[in-house]
Amino acid sequence: QVQLVESGGGLVQAGGSLRLSCAASGSDISRNAMDWYRQAPGKQREAVATITSGGNTNYADSVKGRFTVSRDNAKNTVYLHMNSLKPEDTAVYYCHVIKRGYDYWGQGTQVTVSS
């Protein structure tokens, strides 16, 4: 069992920055790839960023150059640093891990970007 808890969301003006955190408990995630997803109202959930256990990263085209995913294995935590935020980044952001064949999701954190 893995529990994921996101935090750090909020209301920010366009061009601003936020840092989201995803704290894992119940299991060590250092050997797992971790993902960030987001879901805007009326839209499907979409992948935003991935970081592998080795620290390799991958990003959706819409956030490349603006978002950075990182991890602190000592804290069992993954981060999403978001810069140059746009109104279209408004969504609930979720972290995700697949562990032993099971999908685990956090409860999400709301990010709202005003124009």
Side-chain angles (χ1 to χ4, degrees):
Q1 281 277 354
V2 181
Q3 292 79 44
L4 302 174
V5 178
E6 302 95 337
S7 61
L11 174 63
V12 63
Q13 287 189 333
S17 299
L18 284 173
R19 187 187 76 163
L20 306 183
S21 299
C22 171
S25 61
S27 183
D28 178 10
I29 60 165
S30 63
R31 296 182 181 182
N32 299 96
M34 298 292 296
D35 313 294
W36 284 97
Y37 282 75
R38 67 185 181 187
Q39 187 166 19
K43 294 189 177 181
Q44 289 190 331
R45 193 170 295 191
E46 63 174 353
V48 174
T50 296
I51 184 165
T52 68
S53 58
N56 293 318
T57 58
N58 193 39
Y59 299 94
D61 287 342
S62 59
V63 306
K64 278 181 183 176
R66 301 188 298 122
F67 289 13
T68 303
V69 59
S70 64
R71 67 192 303 159
D72 184 339
N73 290 333
K75 295 182 177 180
N76 225 27
T77 298
V78 178
Y79 303 96
L80 186 66
H81 308 258
M82 306 186 295
N83 297 318
S84 303
L85 283 161
K86 304 175 181 180
E88 50 263 45
D89 295 318
T90 294
V92 178
Y93 285 72
Y94 301 89
C95 63
H96 168 259
V97 65
I98 298 175
K99 200 166 180 66
R100 295 176 183 169
Y102 289 92
D103 282 275
Y104 294 93
W105 295 89
Q107 83 290 347
T109 186
Q110 176 71 48
V111 172
T112 303
V113 184
S114 63
S115 56

